[in-house]
Amino acid sequence: MNRRVSFLDLRVTDEQERRELLAAAEAVLCHGRIVMGPEMQEFETRIAAHLGRRFAVAVNSGTDALFFGIRALGLGPGDEVITTSLSWIATANAIALNGATPVFADIREDLNMDPESVRRLLTPRTKAILPVHYTGKVCEMEALLKLAASHGVPLVEDGSQSFDARHHGRVSGAFGTLGCISLNPMKVYAACGEAGVIVLDDEKLHERLIALRYNGTVNRETCIEPSLNGRLDTMQAAFLLCRLPRVAEIIRRRREHAALYSKLLAGLVGTPLEREGESDVYYTYTIRSSRRDELKAFLEARGVETKIQHPLLMPEQPAYRETVRGEFTNARRLVKEILCLPVHEKLTPSDIEYVAACIAEHGPSVPSWPR
Ligand SMILES: Cc1ncc(COP(=O)(O)O)c(C=O)c1O
């Protein structure tokens, strides 16, 4: 009988955690401030402090965080935002839904945006740079921040996959004018439903974001610009407060699994690279294989669930491909090779060893590019 290794396990199996979550839910039900309750304000205060920012604005999803963030910067028709080619489509949608144009930069072997590609794509219409810290690895921020500064445009981080990832001592979400973060149930720091947050330092932008997240209103009733309702539920804020102290342990386990994979898989497939000064959180542990589809099927037959995140590049999605501007030669090559292995914190070292043994049984398939 094969073992079953799940890609995700969203059950709450830790008794203590379940008790804490239930108590938090009960507290919200008892005080009755189901929307905009005290837990939401406390969550904002705690997240801002945790990420070393002045403000946090809790919203309903990572998509909302990006959408309201871009809107608050005043970007719209005629403006271009340079982002990456490889991300969940929410990143491009948040730009396009504001009427601005996403421009797609190429990626490097580490699957993050290539600053050289960004430099080539800059035009007078470029009004923001939006890197995604993909797989839980912070992008090469020095180069991107320099490009944004020299072009006089804001940098917006999509830190949805990288909560608490570090880059030369600085944390994901602490680099840009805005840090936009998804806290959906799949994330390293996760609510028990949809959730997101924007972190920032600028007071004026903060004021605008507070209005944007609730129908563009101030003082409860006065609408100063049309917007949507993207408020975070008090219940999710309460769950997130319970889980914040657990994030460090979740990341420790994921990093331990990643280190074990990287040791066991060396020479068999392409493994993620962690350079000096980087501390990745392994939202995904993404390998590269020259026989990716075959390997995926082989692992499936042995009870190992894997995922391709994401099989279609954003510029190749039907919604974008007709009008696209960008560079994605490397991304096209890489997207055919990537495969995410199970790495979540509920797995045991023996699960990781089993997956690695299955990959060894399948045989080496190290991609030949780049050297
Ligand atoms: C990189 C990235 N950006 C944005 C999002 C959107 O977040 P949400 O699902 O919370 O709307 C996600 C979530 O999957 C993501 O991974």
Side-chain angles (χ1 to χ4, degrees), residues 192-235:
C192 301
E194 304 288 357
V197 67
I198 307 158
V199 290
L200 71 159
D201 298 326
D202 185 278
E203 205 162 331
K204 282 264 172 301
L205 275 178
H206 178 240
E207 261 173 40
R208 186 153 185 213
L209 282 166
I210 294 291
L212 284 172
R213 94 169 146 189
Y214 193 47
N215 285 293
T217 54
V218 292
N219 307 326
R220 290 176 187 264
E221 287 292 342
T222 312
C223 176
I224 52 168
E225 58 178 317
S227 189
L228 304 168
N229 177 4
R231 296 182 297 186
L232 180 71
D233 288 342
T234 308
M235 195 71 91

Side-chain angles (χ1 to χ4, degrees), residues 61-63 66 87-88 90-91 132 158 160-161 182-184 187 194-195 283:
S61 67
T63 308
L66 288 161
S87 179
W88 172 229
T91 310
V132 178
D158 183 342
S160 294
Q161 304 193 354
S182 166
L183 302 166
N184 79 26
K187 299 297 186 257
E194 304 288 357
Y283 169 64

Side-chain angles (χ1 to χ4, degrees), residues 10-147:
L10 301 186
R11 292 170 302 163
V12 180
T13 49
D14 181 289
E15 283 290 329
Q16 175 65 23
E17 183 186 7
R18 200 158 61 231
R19 272 198 297 274
E20 285 173 22
L21 291 170
L22 289 170
E26 186 160 23
V28 174
L29 293 176
C30 288
H31 69 56
R33 295 184 59 194
I34 302 290
V35 282
M36 303 297 277
E39 288 83 355
M40 208 198 81
Q41 272 94 54
E42 192 188 338
F43 167 71
E44 290 183 335
T45 305
R46 294 264 300 275
I47 287 298
H50 188 89
L51 298 178
R53 306 295 307 241
R54 278 184 76 200
F55 306 110
V57 179
V59 290
N60 205 22
S61 67
T63 308
D64 277 357
L66 288 161
F67 175 76
F68 293 132
I70 292 163
R71 181 82 177 274
L73 291 171
L75 305 183
D79 299 332
E80 291 185 347
V81 178
I82 304 182
T83 189
T84 178
S85 295
L86 180 62
S87 179
W88 172 229
I89 197 63
T91 310
N93 286 350
I95 300 168
L97 280 172
N98 276 294
T101 306
V103 173
F104 301 96
D106 213 344
I107 57 173
R108 289 181 172 169
E109 196 189 359
D110 68 2
L111 308 182
N112 270 341
M113 194 169 180
D114 180 354
E116 280 311 308
S117 175
V118 175
R119 185 195 305 281
R120 286 190 295 271
L121 292 168
L122 283 166
T123 72
R125 286 188 306 281
T126 307
K127 293 294 155 53
I129 299 177
L130 201 167
V132 178
H133 305 314
Y134 207 58
T135 73
K137 172 191 282 299
V138 175
C139 293
E140 205 194 300
M141 292 311 288
E142 296 79 6
L144 292 172
L145 285 166
K146 252 191 217 152
L147 284 173

